[in-house]
DNA sequence: CTTCAGCGTCTTTGATCATATCCTGAGCAA
DNA sequence: TTGCTCAGGATATGATCAAAGACGCTGAAG
């Protein structure tokens, strides 16, 4: 008989994995700002976890580039520079359109329905100015698509790249609002319905370029 | 006054970093075979480290794809499948030629001398059949070049991709020997001397394609 | 009598925590 | 300005708990 009365029960997921996911989501969906410092003991009390799981989560995120090790024993959320943004753009444009192209081969009608729902959520989030909801559904849109490609290595690379751009995206949205976040996903959906891999790749590439451009604008503003 | 009598002194490098590097090098240069399982307690006694540093090193390496988490709590060195090899090829061909191209802009004559020395080491290693020496110098050749690009994000991606292909490379060398490992680095060096980024990128791309092809052959043999 | 399947224990290993030690940087005084 | 001291936080260890695979035992069937 399984204990179901305790809602804090892990089920079967170990604490260090739960801790990793929560910290990752905090980075991905804008709880943590670029430049903000992260302390182990702060996380232990915030996430109600022991020291060891928090340490392991931080190590993992550091390896993925979502956090940065400051030589002395400080850990911060990294701030992107112009040139790093260029690197990100190149890497994302190399990986994600490829994933979209492969995924277009394997995707079925149910998947497209799910993606369509995500897209609607995104539209509503933009309309209501709900940044967190926008970021969450945008992430889900891209990665439910990418997961269909069945390409674990490229997928993990894409995840890493999103982790690096997450905090900056949040800053952009916070600064300019959700109003001028146009929705390039309808192109993607059209391509997927036609099972046109190349066109899906092109739509995703356009989406990425636009997102990067937004962040770039924001960086220019910062550097003044 | 610094203590220099004790060669085991960390200097300033913390244990978990030392442990990470040693484990990483074991994976990269063929101490660990694909499919081999890795235990925490085995590492603690092998590396004379405590539990926490070993755990953190393993977490980091799993995040980088160098180790794989087996659901139940086993950790193993991953075995590449055909399709994962295709993913690796795409990713490496997207990242590393770009790094070479950028690096060609910034490289100076001293760097080229260093690379030339690495190349000589590689030739000797091939001649004497010294697999470990070959792998080590081949890695150094590529990454002393890549480091010159000053592109930390692309560099870390390249490091990850090498970590994934390391164990398989070792198997290939162990099976076919070093004899038919041709040396494509002279093309690279020529391009660098001419400061020709595009040609350097092409040379690196050819090098990668050849390496991947070797592994692919090996996988075909395995699948029979 | 032998063999094999099922089952329970047992050892090995992983996960977590509490604690001790050490490092870093800031504040203070000379 | 320079050196010292101290507090806060990171690092590292070992103990403890839980789980998963390994091993051997029993019992029945051939």
């Amino acid at each position: 008989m399984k204990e179901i009365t305790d809602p804090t029960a892990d089920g079967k997921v170990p604490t260090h994995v739960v801790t990793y996911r929560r910290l990752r989501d905090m980075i991905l969906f804008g709880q943590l700002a670029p430049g903000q410092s992260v302390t182990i003991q702060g996380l232990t009390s915030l996430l109600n976890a022991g020291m060891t799981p928090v340490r392991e989560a931080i190590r993992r995120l550091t390896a993925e580039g979502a956090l940065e090790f400051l030589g002395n024993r400080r850990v911060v959320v990294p701030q992107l520079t112009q040139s790093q943004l260029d690197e990100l753009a190149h890497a994302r444009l190399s990986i994600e359109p490829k994933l979209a192209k492969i995924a277009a081969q394997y995707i079925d009608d149910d998947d497209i329905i799910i993606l369509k729902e995500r897209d609607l959520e995104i539209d509503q989030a933009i309309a209501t100015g709900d940044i967190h909801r926008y970021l969450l559904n945008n992430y889900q849109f891209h990665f439910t698509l990418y997961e269909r490609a069945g390409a674990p290595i490229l997928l993990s690379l894409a995840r890493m790249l999103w982790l690096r751009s997450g905090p900056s995206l949040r800053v952009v949205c916070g600064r300019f609002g959700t109003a001028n976040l146009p929705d390039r996903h309808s192109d993607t959906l059209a391509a997927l319905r036609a099972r046109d891999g190349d066109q899906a790749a092109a739509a995703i590439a356009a989406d990425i370029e636009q997102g990067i451009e937004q962040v770039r604008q924001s960086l220019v503003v910062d550097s003044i």
Side-chain angles (χ1 to χ4, degrees), chain A:
Chain A
M1 187 64 170
K2 218 45 176 152
E3 182 66 54
I4 54 171
T5 54
D6 182 5
T8 67
D10 280 347
K12 258 170 33 184
V13 186
T15 309
H16 70 265
V17 176
V18 176
T19 307
Y20 164 76
R21 289 194 190 141
R22 291 184 60 185
L23 188 50
R24 181 198 59 186
D25 289 352
M26 284 175 65
I27 294 168
L28 219 37
F29 304 129
Q31 314 300 105
L32 262 39
Q36 187 168 341
S37 82
V38 173
T39 69
I40 293 179
Q41 312 198 351
L43 270 320
T44 56
S45 53
L46 179 63
L47 301 178
N48 281 76
M51 222 167 198
T52 312
V54 170
R55 283 179 68 83
E56 294 186 18
I58 289 179
R59 290 286 174 263
R60 240 179 110 174
L61 266 335
T62 308
E64 289 167 345
L67 294 175
E68 192 180 3
F69 219 53
L70 232 43
N72 46 7
R73 323 149 142 205
R74 297 277 142 87
V75 174
V76 299
V77 182
Q79 261 170 322
L80 289 178
T81 65
Q82 277 291 346
S83 70
Q84 286 176 352
L85 195 59
D86 292 338
E87 295 176 53
L88 261 184
H90 175 82
R92 289 190 57 191
L93 287 169
S94 303
I95 304 294
E96 297 181 38
K98 174 81 172 180
L99 276 168
K101 181 174 178 175
I102 302 173
Q105 297 178 328
Y106 299 117
I107 211 160
D108 63 30
D109 293 336
D110 290 342
D111 295 328
I112 292 177
I113 291 173
I114 294 174
L115 289 174
K116 181 65 191 160
E117 283 169 6
R118 292 290 173 199
D119 192 33
L120 286 175
E121 286 271 338
I122 291 171
D123 289 341
Q124 290 176 21
I126 290 176
T128 59
D130 187 338
I131 297 175
H132 185 269
R133 188 176 168 199
Y134 167 78
L135 291 174
L136 186 63
N137 281 284
N138 190 41
Y139 181 86
Q140 304 257 22
F141 182 91
H142 281 261
F143 281 92
T144 51
L145 173 59
Y146 298 161
E147 278 170 5
R148 294 302 176 275
I153 293 179
L154 295 180
L155 185 64
S156 79
L157 290 176
R159 286 224 155 87
M160 279 191 41
L161 296 169
W162 276 66
L163 272 174
R164 289 192 186 260
S165 35
S168 297
L169 256 190
R170 162 65 198 232
V171 170
V172 171
C173 293
R175 183 168 302 171
F176 300 123
T178 53
N180 34 5
L181 287 172
D183 183 6
R184 292 213 136 275
H185 294 162
S186 49
D187 299 348
T188 309
L189 281 170
L192 291 175
R193 287 202 190 87
R195 301 294 191 277
D196 185 336
D198 288 319
Q199 207 171 321
I204 290 292
D207 187 49
I208 293 169
E209 263 166 355
Q210 190 181 51
I212 295 277
E213 191 50 40
Q214 295 255 6
V215 179
R216 203 187 307 272
Q217 300 289 334
S218 170
L219 282 187
V220 171
V221 172
D222 277 339
S223 66
I224 296 173

